[in-house]
Amino acid sequence: MKLVKLIANLGYGSRKEVTAMFRSGRITDANGEVLYADDQIEHDQIRIDDEPLDPPAGVLLMLHKPVGYTCSTKDHGELIYELLPPRFRLRSPIVANVGRLDRDTSGLLLLTDDGALLHRISSPRHKLPKFYEVTLARDLKGNEEAIFASGKLMLESEKEPLAPAHMTVISNRQVRITVTEGRYHQVRRMFAAVGNHVETLHRSQIGGLMLSDLMVAEWRMLNETERHLLFTQPPP
Ligand code: URA
């Protein structure tokens, strides 16, 4: 791919703007030698204003989504893209969130520009478990674990029952839920269906990948080990 197109696709500007960046000498190699639009050079050797070029297509990153942020490129209020470099929203293909966490939910959110990978992570067919830490407004009744595990729970206005979900009780008002689907407001609606109300919801893990010590509102690229971990199946 021509350098101008490559750099424009990474969100640095339109092709016209990137051409102007070449002309003004802002694009160099690692030794500070000015590059020209037709040069052939390894991706990791390119610098813009002395900074390494963003990674090429195929990125996968994790974000610790705070409460109050919406998973959207354009919506009212605060958006998850405000927590990432502005270029990520302008890349082609765009770095998109893998599934959604609702505005009032915090925790592990993955983003990628790889459509096949996005599908592999989010499609219910692949049954990748997602782990949620839940606090409830009312005490558990005692039958919730069996209802969620039954594979028969029907949510309002849905045509298919939910796939079995696993629940671990931590205390009367605190549980961990593991689901393999990503239906709209699924965990909140599951508890509404059994007469309870979710007060706080936090996703701590997807597959074998944990949020661990990533601070709220922080993000980072996943390395090869973490990508692999994502698809290892931990016990529920
Ligand atoms: N279930 C919900 O209710 N909300 C989320 O954001 C994720 C799962």
Side-chain angles (χ1 to χ4, degrees), residues 26-187:
R26 291 172 59 196
I27 305 179
T28 63
D29 68 12
N31 299 318
E33 291 291 324
V34 170
L35 290 175
Y36 296 92
D38 288 330
D39 284 342
Q40 302 280 324
I41 183 164
E42 292 294 318
H43 192 106
D44 64 0
Q45 294 299 304
I46 302 171
R47 301 286 180 273
I48 297 189
D49 298 331
D50 294 328
E51 293 293 327
L53 199 59
D54 287 345
V59 295
L60 178 62
L61 61 96
M62 67 174 176
L63 168 72
H64 186 158
K65 179 193 169 298
V67 166
Y69 281 75
T70 305
C71 293
S72 164
T73 50
K74 46 179 189 305
D75 209 329
H76 300 299
E78 288 161 314
L79 308 178
I80 52 162
Y81 283 97
E82 289 158 25
L83 304 169
L84 301 167
R87 281 196 296 278
F88 284 12
R89 198 179 345 190
L90 304 173
R91 281 172 69 122
S92 174
I94 188 174
V95 178
N97 43 286
V98 181
R100 291 164 67 94
L101 287 178
D102 62 55
R103 202 174 64 86
D104 297 325
T105 301
S106 61
L108 175 56
L109 184 70
L110 296 171
L111 293 104
T112 183
D113 58 356
D114 179 339
L117 181 61
L118 187 146
H119 182 71
R120 189 172 167 212
I121 300 169
S122 55
S123 162
R125 233 166 30 88
H126 293 113
K127 295 193 166 52
L128 203 63
K130 285 119 193 152
F131 297 75
Y132 293 90
E133 316 299 326
V134 189
T135 58
L136 297 165
R138 291 182 269 285
D139 286 355
L140 291 165
K141 293 175 186 156
N143 57 356
E144 294 87 347
E145 205 175 328
I147 293 173
F148 295 159
S150 70
K152 293 186 184 141
L153 180 61
M154 201 70 154
L155 295 179
E156 217 177 290
S157 71
E158 299 262 348
K159 292 197 178 79
E160 296 285 329
L162 289 179
H166 184 85
M167 185 177 103
T168 307
V169 178
I170 294 160
S171 71
N172 273 349
R173 294 191 184 192
Q174 234 190 328
V175 298
R176 166 179 256 222
I177 288 278
T178 311
V179 300
T180 55
E181 302 171 287
R183 300 206 203 177
Y184 179 71
H185 288 189
Q186 181 169 335
V187 176

